[in-house]
Amino acid sequence: MNTIQNIMVCVTQQKTCERLIRRGAEIRDTYNGELFVIHVAKEGDHFLGTSKDGDALDYLFEESKAYGANLTVVRAHDVLETLKKLTEKNNIDLIVLGQSFEKNEKNVSNKLEKQLPKDIEVEIVPIEKEEKVG
């Protein structure tokens, strides 16, 4: 990592977002950058994959606020294209993503990395053991 100015944390599930935001904040603090927490929901889906969107959004807002992050939550037809545009809009240098068990073409991390300029770094945060259960 060279000079990191802006970090984007992509969150999908409520129970995993705190550790991703925490990691983004650690990097931000090291480089004195700015932290953006982004959630893009596919049009027609619940924002965070649950019928309790209000509670989930409150939780996401509170976690982002606790770490001094800017929160953006949007709906979009093309999630990856929207993430790419937000990366450009916010001059992102590093993206923090949670680990995915999807393989090859279905892996969102791989798909996103292929669409990004080569100068944007991506850090994958491994899934913690207690998250695999359930």
Side-chain angles (χ1 to χ4, degrees):
M1 287 186 239
N2 298 329
T3 55
I4 304 293
Q5 295 297 313
N6 296 316
I7 300 105
M8 182 168 89
V9 177
C10 299
V11 295
T12 56
Q13 297 174 2
Q14 180 178 348
K15 69 179 184 176
T16 63
C17 73
E18 192 273 336
R19 72 187 173 83
L20 299 176
I21 297 169
R22 181 177 63 239
R23 179 61 187 140
E26 290 168 358
I27 297 167
R28 179 220 34 222
D29 293 346
T30 300
Y31 292 95
N32 198 25
E34 193 166 353
L35 184 60
F36 298 86
V37 175
I38 309 291
H39 176 71
V40 180
K42 191 149 180 77
E43 288 177 357
D45 289 352
H46 290 288
F47 268 111
L48 292 168
T50 175
S51 59
K52 297 181 181 178
D53 277 343
D55 292 342
L57 288 171
D58 284 344
Y59 176 80
L60 188 55
F61 174 76
E62 290 302 323
E63 288 298 321
S64 298
K65 186 172 140 185
Y67 286 97
N70 296 300
L71 174 63
T72 301
V73 179
V74 296
R75 287 191 187 279
H77 177 70
D78 187 335
V79 173
L80 293 176
E81 182 61 27
T82 302
L83 288 172
K84 181 181 172 191
K85 286 180 181 176
L86 288 167
T87 301
E88 294 165 0
K89 175 185 173 191
N90 296 314
N91 298 311
I92 299 299
D93 302 297
L94 173 74
I95 298 175
V96 176
L97 298 166
Q99 180 182 6
S100 171
F101 285 116
E102 297 290 335
K103 300 292 182 210
N104 304 323
E105 314 82 44
K106 293 184 179 184
N107 187 303
V108 175
S109 303
N110 291 346
K111 286 193 224 177
L112 181 59
E113 277 190 83
K114 287 178 185 174
Q115 291 190 19
L116 295 172
K118 297 292 181 213
D119 61 337
I120 297 177
E121 295 182 49
V122 175
E123 179 173 323
I124 307 296
V125 178
I127 293 174
E128 296 173 353
K129 289 178 184 174
E130 63 271 10
E131 293 176 36
K132 292 179 186 175
V133 179

